[in-house]
Amino acid sequence: MMKRALAFLLLATLLGGCTAIKNAFKGSNKENIEPPKVLTEFAPTVTVEKLWTTGVGKGARKTGVHLTPAYADGKLYAISTTGVLEALDATTGRTLWEKKDKKIAYAAGPTIGEGLLVVGTLDGTLFALNPADGSERWHAEVSSELISAPAVDGGMVVARSYDGRVYGFDAANGERKWIFDRNTVPLLSLRGNSAPLIREGVVITGGDNGKVVGLRLTDGVEVWEQVISTGEGRTEIERLQDVDGILQADAGVVYAAGYRGQITALAGNNGRPLWAHDLSSYSGVAISPAAVFANDVDSNIWSLDRNNGTSLWKQDVLGYRWLSPPAVQGDYIVVGDFDGYVHWLNLNDGKLAARVRLTKKPIDSVPLVVGNTVYVQASNGELGAYRIAK
């Protein structure tokens, strides 16, 4: 049964500022919103050390985009919709170089690859920059907003625009090689896009139509498609079926989550379903060698067996705290919440292991794990680095 809080959750955190969507939710009763669970005291079982914190512009503001930094060669790259792009020393948080332009609303990426730092903007511009100093190599235009990180590999830069199109550009000069334009967007959809993946010459991307598709990297020809969210119902709201969350691919298997759909494992070469578990999620999945992890729409965290999708455990202690997508850090799951807290849970049983507070603003972007350090960026631009003590 659809939770009565759904309308306000979607309006406040997922659907952005679309007037048509706002009109669809007029008349909703705020008293129906489920209150977030109160955090309770517990005995930490792991020590988390704060390495540093800093600010990157004003973050995402109220754009509804989710900003996560990128790491390469000891450096961290981070963006803000207020026109700030920074390179930082990943160990100390010290700014190495910075670009500021209030006319540019960075909203996609950053992504590092092919000797490039690639970012996208809310006005549909894709920039390829020199990671050493931020100088421009090339730029290209797409048909609408860029709000999910581009993928860079195999001499190509692949970007997914908000209107459902997927573009392939030559990494060397920005020449557009192809466009995939059959990923239809329904009348209503969640505010977000799944970032494309490139694996073994195939671009894997999720759509607002409930499908995951595989495209040939060289020319954008569809190799396979699979529906993981059917979006059945009498109203447009009930038919929401976005595949907007984090996709994962490992050992020839693709793992995806659909809103009002399933957590699904697909064969990477042909999209054939290997298993599916009914679970509605808009944030996507994380994986360990043994399990797949996902948040459901009520902010319960699930662990599923990677081999067959059976449930290993469910943790509801953070219910309705509107969690960030999960990430795996060693033996722990790490997530942020709407009130600026970062939580660590044990991989094996889901029990809380540690908690820190970065800010008083929401953390809705997936944490970035590099070794035993995790980098967390909040919606206000606050960026923190934390290490699990040995």
PDB file of all heavy atoms in Angstrom, residues 55 95 122 133 238 320:
ATOM      1  N   GLY A  55      33.952  23.447   3.219  1.00  0.00           N
ATOM      2  CA  GLY A  55      32.745  23.780   2.477  1.00  0.00           C
ATOM      3  C   GLY A  55      33.048  23.989   1.009  1.00  0.00           C
ATOM      4  O   GLY A  55      34.096  24.539   0.653  1.00  0.00           O
ATOM      5  N   THR A  95      42.615  23.183  -0.172  1.00  0.00           N
ATOM      6  CA  THR A  95      42.274  23.500  -1.556  1.00  0.00           C
ATOM      7  C   THR A  95      43.540  23.618  -2.401  1.00  0.00           C
ATOM      8  O   THR A  95      44.454  24.377  -2.072  1.00  0.00           O
ATOM      9  CB  THR A  95      41.486  24.815  -1.635  1.00  0.00           C
ATOM     10  OG1 THR A  95      40.258  24.670  -0.908  1.00  0.00           O
ATOM     11  CG2 THR A  95      41.156  25.170  -3.083  1.00  0.00           C
ATOM     12  N   LEU A 122      23.323  22.582 -15.052  1.00  0.00           N
ATOM     13  CA  LEU A 122      21.870  22.617 -15.131  1.00  0.00           C
ATOM     14  C   LEU A 122      21.372  23.203 -16.445  1.00  0.00           C
ATOM     15  O   LEU A 122      20.201  23.025 -16.790  1.00  0.00           O
ATOM     16  CB  LEU A 122      21.296  23.430 -13.963  1.00  0.00           C
ATOM     17  CG  LEU A 122      21.361  22.773 -12.586  1.00  0.00           C
ATOM     18  CD1 LEU A 122      20.790  23.710 -11.518  1.00  0.00           C
ATOM     19  CD2 LEU A 122      20.616  21.444 -12.561  1.00  0.00           C
ATOM     20  N   ASP A 133      44.544  21.730 -13.289  1.00  0.00           N
ATOM     21  CA  ASP A 133      44.285  23.133 -12.975  1.00  0.00           C
ATOM     22  C   ASP A 133      42.869  23.599 -13.316  1.00  0.00           C
ATOM     23  O   ASP A 133      42.528  24.766 -13.094  1.00  0.00           O
ATOM     24  CB  ASP A 133      45.301  24.030 -13.694  1.00  0.00           C
ATOM     25  CG  ASP A 133      45.302  23.827 -15.217  1.00  0.00           C
ATOM     26  OD1 ASP A 133      44.372  23.181 -15.741  1.00  0.00           O
ATOM     27  OD2 ASP A 133      46.253  24.299 -15.865  1.00  0.00           O
ATOM     28  N   GLU A 238       0.810   6.684  -8.875  1.00  0.00           N
ATOM     29  CA  GLU A 238       0.953   5.240  -8.667  1.00  0.00           C
ATOM     30  C   GLU A 238       1.772   4.587  -9.764  1.00  0.00           C
ATOM     31  O   GLU A 238       2.348   3.515  -9.561  1.00  0.00           O
ATOM     32  CB  GLU A 238      -0.433   4.586  -8.592  1.00  0.00           C
ATOM     33  CG  GLU A 238      -1.208   4.942  -7.340  1.00  0.00           C
ATOM     34  CD  GLU A 238      -2.616   4.360  -7.357  1.00  0.00           C
ATOM     35  OE1 GLU A 238      -3.217   4.312  -8.439  1.00  0.00           O
ATOM     36  OE2 GLU A 238      -3.096   3.949  -6.292  1.00  0.00           O
ATOM     37  N   TYR A 320      12.295   6.468   8.029  1.00  0.00           N
ATOM     38  CA  TYR A 320      11.787   7.792   7.654  1.00  0.00           C
ATOM     39  C   TYR A 320      12.805   8.912   7.883  1.00  0.00           C
ATOM     40  O   TYR A 320      12.433  10.084   7.966  1.00  0.00           O
ATOM     41  CB  TYR A 320      10.488   8.106   8.401  1.00  0.00           C
ATOM     42  CG  TYR A 320       9.446   7.044   8.196  1.00  0.00           C
ATOM     43  CD1 TYR A 320       9.150   6.146   9.224  1.00  0.00           C
ATOM     44  CD2 TYR A 320       8.797   6.890   6.984  1.00  0.00           C
ATOM     45  CE1 TYR A 320       8.219   5.135   9.034  1.00  0.00           C
ATOM     46  CE2 TYR A 320       7.865   5.882   6.791  1.00  0.00           C
ATOM     47  CZ  TYR A 320       7.585   5.009   7.823  1.00  0.00           C
ATOM     48  OH  TYR A 320       6.673   4.011   7.641  1.00  0.00           O
TER      49      TYR A 320
END
